[in-house]
Amino acid sequence: MKPVLESAGLDGWIIRLFEVIDEHNLPWLSALSHRCEQEFGDALVDLVPSYTTLLVVFNPLEVSPQQARAMICRILADLEPEDSTHTGEIHELPTWYDLSVGPELQRVAAQAGMSVSDVIKAHSQQVYRVFALGFAPGFAFMGLTDPRLECARLDTPRRLVPPGSVAMAGRQTAAYPTATPGGWNLLGRTTASLFDRNREGFSLLRVGDQVRFVPVSREEFEREGGDARPMEPLA
């Protein structure tokens, strides 16, 4: 691991710890986040972790870019990964897998040489780690999926993806917290409330959490308030 610091303007540094997405990156990124919180104190504005980097945003009226860089270098000099037994919260998201709300189930199955039922089984049996939040409030990038399911994004993104839609792209998976455009492969829909302005922190999922998608029937899905209206054809 050879960390690289990249300037993000007068109030930020991007710390690049890794070049490849891997679940073993997370203990290092979590440790770095916590050390930055301690080191910067009240001068810290925000921390934005991703699969391989951490963006540190600070108050330039309290800390200059040069001082911030020196602080980060001190942290990196003796950084150690967090205990791997720390797992964050565990979430089970009830999910209705069906072609009417997961129109790319067939696409993923065809590419993997599997049946739709086997795709559902492979996706739902995996326990995923939340690596980053972004794109939209409450949108959690999770991984890694079963390598057999790896599938590229759609060539033409949808203009609107319904909230709760469970999707995957590459070896990442996620659930759309709100209605937004999107180009990931839709597999189903969850009843989980992923973003709530009345919830502390707003987002149900946080970096480091573990997630499993639990298959439910249409009846269970609707009983829990799920929207079973089928997807509009892809324009």
Side-chain angles (χ1 to χ4, degrees), residues 6-14 55-58 65:
E6 303 170 6
S7 175
L10 295 176
D11 63 349
W13 286 99
I14 296 173
L55 169 61
V56 180
V57 182
F58 53 88

Side-chain angles (χ1 to χ4, degrees), residues 28-200:
W28 289 94
L29 289 162
S30 294
L32 180 59
S33 294
H34 292 147
R35 289 285 302 278
C36 285
E37 288 177 353
Q38 297 167 3
E39 185 79 15
F40 280 82
D42 293 340
L44 185 67
V45 175
D46 198 9
L47 292 169
V48 185
S50 77
Y51 287 103
T52 58
T53 66
L54 177 70
L55 169 61
V56 180
V57 182
F58 53 88
N59 184 345
L61 298 178
E62 296 188 33
V63 177
S64 72
Q66 294 75 20
Q67 290 173 320
R69 191 181 194 284
M71 293 162 71
I72 292 169
C73 287
R74 286 199 298 271
I75 293 170
L76 292 172
D78 61 355
L79 185 68
E80 294 290 339
E82 286 190 342
D83 185 350
S84 60
T85 59
H86 177 71
T87 59
E89 289 192 52
I90 299 174
H91 305 268
E92 292 192 342
L93 307 186
T95 302
W96 178 41
Y97 292 92
D98 191 82
L99 289 169
S100 65
V101 292
E104 275 75 64
L105 275 170
Q106 191 64 63
R107 177 178 189 246
V108 175
Q111 182 165 308
M114 301 165 65
S115 66
V116 167
S117 61
D118 283 340
V119 167
I120 294 170
K121 183 177 180 180
H123 185 265
S124 61
Q125 285 189 337
Q126 198 89 345
V127 177
Y128 302 102
R129 181 80 70 163
V130 177
F131 286 108
L133 298 174
F135 168 63
F139 189 99
F141 292 86
M142 294 176 265
L144 295 169
T145 63
D146 185 313
R148 296 174 297 168
L149 303 184
E150 185 170 354
C151 193
R153 290 173 170 82
L154 301 175
D155 292 334
T156 304
R158 288 184 169 84
R159 288 176 290 184
L160 196 66
V161 175
S165 294
V166 173
M168 58 167 293
R171 291 192 62 197
Q172 302 175 91
T173 191
Y176 286 78
T178 55
T180 61
W184 287 29
N185 299 281
L186 303 186
L187 307 181
R189 204 171 286 172
T190 180
T191 57
S193 175
L194 300 161
F195 180 76
D196 185 346
R197 295 186 185 278
N198 296 316
R199 178 192 292 130
E200 183 180 356

